[in-house]
Amino acid sequence: MLTVHRIAVGAAAGTAVLALAATGCGSSNSNSSKTEKPSTGTTAPATPNPAAPTLSATEVDKVGTVVTDSNGYVLYRFDKDTAKPSHSNCLAACAAIWPPAPATDALSVKGIDKALVGQVTRPDGIKQLTLAGWPLYRYAKDDEPREAYGQGAGGTWFAITPTGAKATADTGGGTTSGGVVTPPGGSGY
C-alpha cells in the first residue's frame, strides 16, 4: 500500500512540474514577440537585452530592401492608415490577416534610423510599432521568412522600406476586399 501511495505522489509531483514548465515556456507563435518579464524586484541591466526584438533592413527577392522583424518576416504598411498622425484602420477581420506588429520598449534596429521607429495605440487598445508614422503589420500568408506575398495586395498593402516608403517592386500579390486577400490565379500561397 505504501508503494502505491509513493507512486501516486510521485506522479502528481511530476505532473505539477510539467505543468509549471509548460506555462513558463511561452508561445512559439511567430506573430507574437511579446514576452513577460518575471518580477525580480531588481532594476533592469544597463546593457541592451540580447533577446530584444529587432527591426532590420533586409534584401528580399522581387521587392528589394524592406523591413523585417526579428524572425525575418516582412513588415507591411496599409494605404488606408495614416502616418501623421499615426492611426491604424486595419481592425477585426483585417487584423486577423494582417496582424499588427506589437510595440515594445526594448527594440533594436539594424539598417534603420531608430528616430523613425515609434508606436501607436490602436482603437482596440493594442500598442503597434510604427515606422515614419506608418503602423506596421505582418501578413498571415507569409509563412516563411523573407516572403512578401502581401506586396501590392489590393493596391493598398506594401512592404515597407527602411525609410517608411512603399516598396515599389511587385510579387504579384492578390486583390483585397475588406482586408481579405484573394491570391492571383485563385490559388493559395
Side-chain angles (χ1 to χ4, degrees):
M1 185 69 150
L2 185 58
T3 303
V4 171
H5 179 70
R6 284 184 186 164
I7 292 172
V9 168
T15 302
V17 168
L18 288 174
L20 286 173
T23 59
C25 289
S27 172
S28 64
N29 181 347
S30 63
N31 288 340
S32 174
S33 62
K34 185 176 182 180
T35 57
E36 291 187 29
K37 296 179 184 176
S39 176
T40 61
T42 61
T43 58
T47 58
N49 178 358
T54 302
L55 294 182
S56 300
T58 305
E59 182 69 25
V60 174
D61 289 344
K62 300 181 184 175
V63 293
T65 301
V66 296
V67 177
T68 57
D69 67 10
S70 296
N71 297 314
Y73 287 91
V74 172
L75 296 177
Y76 296 88
R77 58 179 267 182
F78 183 39
D79 280 352
K80 294 183 180 181
D81 287 348
T82 59
K84 295 182 186 195
S86 294
H87 182 75
S88 171
N89 287 305
C90 178
L91 304 169
C94 176
I97 294 169
W98 299 93
T104 177
D105 291 333
L107 179 74
S108 62
V109 295
K110 291 181 182 173
I112 301 165
D113 182 354
K114 183 129 183 174
L116 294 176
V117 179
Q119 61 180 279
V120 64
T121 302
R122 298 165 42 83
D124 57 12
I126 296 171
K127 292 192 183 280
Q128 182 175 8
L129 277 174
T130 62
L131 181 63
W134 290 100
L136 301 178
Y137 302 87
R138 285 259 330 266
Y139 179 45
K141 293 188 179 186
D142 285 349
D143 56 357
E144 296 287 331
R146 297 175 122 174
E147 288 183 340
Y149 290 121
Q151 173 65 10
T156 58
W157 289 96
F158 297 91
I160 194 163
T161 70
T163 62
K166 299 180 206 180
T168 55
D170 191 298
T171 61
T175 58
T176 301
S177 175
V180 177
V181 174
T182 304
S187 63
Y189 291 116

